[in-house]
Amino acid sequence: MTTILTNAWLLTLDDALTEHRAGWLQIDGDTITALGSGTRPTVENAEIIDCNGDIVMPGTVNAHCHMGMSVFRGLGEDVDDRLYRYILPLERKFVTPEMVRVGSALSALEMIQGGVTTVADMYYFETEVGRVAAQSGLRAIVGQTLADFDPPDHKDFDQGFARVEELVDEFAGHKLVTPSIAPHAPYSTGLKVMERVARWSAGHPVVPVQMHLAESALEVAWARDNHNQSTVAVARDAGLLKPNLICAHCLQLDDADITMMSEAQVCAVTNPRSNGKAGRGIAPVEKLRNAGIPTGIGSDGAMSGNTLDLFSQFAPVSMFAKLLGGSRKPLPALDVIRMATIEGARSLSLNLKTGSLEAGKQADLIRISLAAPRLHPIYDAYSMLVFAAMPTDVTDTMVAGRWLMRNRQVETLDPHKTLRDAMQIATQFKAEMTRIDEAAR
């Protein structure tokens, strides 16, 4: 099957940042085979889609997410101790494979509607997340979390590693879903388990490692008090600082930490909305990128950042960099869009497949309507995308040549069932929260 998009404003995000204002793009099967300006190719029996001047660009890459947690969105927002009062008790009681499936489907629906085509996830019962991603058509890295705080799907690390093995076995060689191992954080696994993860990873070099790193002042204090060094140095000594490590958050870093990360060729992910909302600080994104560290943008979980599209992240990540620099210059709009596409793909080691519109790459793309008056006039397309566009401007989403959404209609999930299932779980949560509050009186 050949599909040709015509009359499109193509933002390719290739190395030359090529644009075609009246462009066309040809897709054969799951692959972009040609693109350009002017007269489109003539291919017998091809589907021709007139984009009416809309923007067509690479799909966005949500480089750090917890899909199963979308059912916790907005829960206990103004309660200082909500983690220990509500979240952890609810997780221990209600996080099951079915709950993770329902939460992941809700997240997948939201991301498809918001123009996300690739996601890196880490949570519990991660095989369920992988199955939902495969069903919905998203490209995904799915990481089985390992932690020592009585997580809901493993009572000890032996069980946790067994779940990792199951995940790898199920998705080895999958076209869209890449299995991953995800030690939660240095403080929540400890040096010995991190060393075990490093040894396991050495035997599985194509499996990415995901980890929260330098996320909070408490984590930095743990590393200092227990190891007399930074949390990044603890990860280095454990053997985890390697090119397949995806470091989420990266807030509490000094120059020596950034140098260590750069020399080890790790990748980083910033989560501006989640971290800003929690008051945890601002990631040194400019320093990371200037050190040659590929840095993507993530939403974190919906419990923390509420929304899972990247349009909600664009302005905060740019504004935070400008606040740090005291100027309008840091992290211009073009760099933000690069972080959300090709650089985000590079942070997940997927840049040879996705992240830009180029012949030979997978057909992972989105179409953005320019009908809304708030988008005009457009002097700079990248500025418009960062500071004015919204996820609802995305009309079509494609991954590997398959339409996941067309004309705002999601084709791979049942939106009504997805929302109904999520609301049923929310009803259980509300009842348990009431019980917790009554018991605390």
Side-chain angles (χ1 to χ4, degrees):
M1 178 68 185
T2 296
T3 300
I4 300 177
L5 309 183
T6 67
N7 193 20
W9 184 352
L10 296 181
L11 303 180
T12 69
L13 278 296
D14 63 9
D15 289 343
L17 298 174
T18 306
E19 293 185 32
H20 300 287
R21 283 300 300 263
W24 55 266
L25 182 142
Q26 179 175 333
I27 301 159
D28 288 285
D30 62 2
T31 304
I32 298 169
T33 52
L35 68 163
S37 300
T39 305
R40 65 168 175 83
T42 301
V43 180
E44 188 175 354
N45 297 322
E47 179 186 18
I48 309 299
I49 299 173
D50 187 339
C51 294
N52 195 36
D54 288 344
I55 285 177
V56 173
M57 62 178 281
T60 62
V61 178
N62 185 342
H64 179 67
C65 189
H66 308 292
M67 291 173 64
M69 295 192 79
S70 62
V71 288
F72 290 89
R73 188 195 325 261
L75 185 154
E77 287 283 17
D78 300 319
V79 180
D80 277 344
D81 63 344
R82 73 168 183 159
L83 177 64
Y84 293 99
R85 184 180 182 90
Y86 298 130
I87 303 301
L88 292 179
L90 286 169
E91 280 194 326
R92 292 181 185 118
K93 185 168 184 176
F94 292 107
V95 174
T96 63
E98 175 63 10
M99 192 225 82
V100 171
R101 183 195 66 77
V102 170
S104 297
L106 181 62
S107 295
L109 178 63
E110 178 184 356
M111 286 191 284
I112 290 168
Q113 290 180 332
V116 173
T117 54
T118 298
V119 60
D121 187 78
M122 54 184 287
Y123 198 51
Y124 309 114
F125 298 110
E126 198 69 13
T127 53
E128 295 297 327
V129 182
R131 291 166 186 166
V132 169
Q135 175 194 347
S136 67
L138 287 171
R139 192 176 303 280
I141 294 177
V142 292
Q144 171 63 41
T145 293
L146 303 171
D148 66 1
F149 44 69
D150 192 23
D153 69 347
H154 59 279
K155 298 305 178 186
D156 57 47
F157 284 110
D158 288 341
Q159 288 184 9
F161 275 89
R163 287 200 174 276
V164 173
E165 295 284 0
E166 292 171 4
L167 181 70
V168 170
D169 288 345
E170 176 154 347
F171 293 104
H174 196 281
K175 177 181 175 182
L176 293 177
V177 180
T178 301
S180 169
I181 186 169
H184 178 265
Y187 70 88
S188 53
T189 52
L191 184 60
K192 289 186 177 180
V193 173
M194 293 167 68
E195 290 172 343
R196 181 175 174 183
V197 172
R199 291 192 299 271
W200 186 93
S201 177
H204 301 78
V206 299
V207 177
V209 181
Q210 301 182 71
M211 182 169 66
H212 301 106
L213 187 65
E215 181 178 4
S216 68
L218 289 175
E219 180 186 334
V220 172
W222 168 88
R224 182 187 63 242
D225 295 344
N226 290 278
H227 299 280
N228 196 31
Q229 55 188 351
S230 74
T231 186
V232 174
V234 174
R236 177 201 61 196
D237 291 352
L240 283 180
L241 288 194
K242 297 187 296 184
N244 70 339
L245 178 64
I246 303 163
C247 307
H249 296 289
C250 301
L251 292 168
Q252 305 289 331
L253 300 173
D254 60 24
D255 290 345
D257 291 328
I258 292 174
T259 297
M260 273 187 276
M261 295 170 67
S262 176
E263 290 175 348
Q265 297 182 308
V266 303
C267 299
V269 183
T270 185
N271 304 272
R273 187 181 173 99
S274 168
N275 294 144
K277 184 165 168 255
R280 284 183 170 164
I282 298 175
V285 172
E286 291 254 292
K287 285 188 175 182
L288 290 165
R289 298 181 75 240
N290 289 339
I293 299 171
T295 305
I297 303 173
S299 65
D300 208 5
M303 184 195 79
S304 302
N306 297 77
T307 61
L308 303 182
D309 68 277
L310 288 202
F311 288 90
S312 301
Q313 307 294 330
F314 289 163
V317 75
S318 181
M319 289 175 181
F320 287 175
K322 296 177 193 312
L323 286 170
L324 275 184
S327 164
R328 299 181 69 91
K329 289 184 178 181
L331 211 57
L334 170 59
D335 286 6
V336 174
I337 298 302
R338 285 182 57 83
M339 289 172 66
T341 55
I342 186 60
E343 191 170 338
R346 187 173 292 114
S347 75
L348 305 181
S349 299
L350 292 174
N351 53 297
L352 297 182
K353 289 184 177 180
T354 190
S356 60
L357 304 182
E358 300 182 67
K361 283 196 171 183
Q362 292 278 281
D364 297 358
L365 55 84
I366 57 177
R367 176 179 172 182
I368 298 173
S369 169
L370 300 180
R374 68 182 136 72
L375 305 180
H376 297 278
I378 301 174
Y379 299 109
D380 178 337
Y382 301 104
S383 175
M384 178 272 292
L385 290 170
V386 169
F387 296 111
M390 295 182 178
T392 48
D393 295 317
V394 178
T395 61
D396 303 80
T397 301
M398 172 183 281
V399 175
R402 177 190 184 192
W403 292 110
L404 311 189
M405 180 174 73
R406 297 194 75 173
N407 300 315
R408 293 294 298 172
Q409 300 298 308
V410 175
E411 299 188 350
T412 56
L413 292 168
D414 181 340
H416 299 293
K417 181 180 186 304
T418 300
L419 292 171
R420 184 174 64 247
D421 290 349
M423 292 308 299
Q424 288 176 351
I425 289 177
T427 299
Q428 298 177 48
F429 281 11
K430 289 177 183 177
E432 182 65 11
M433 290 169 68
T434 299
R435 189 198 67 77
I436 291 171
D437 289 341
E438 291 175 348
R441 292 195 184 107

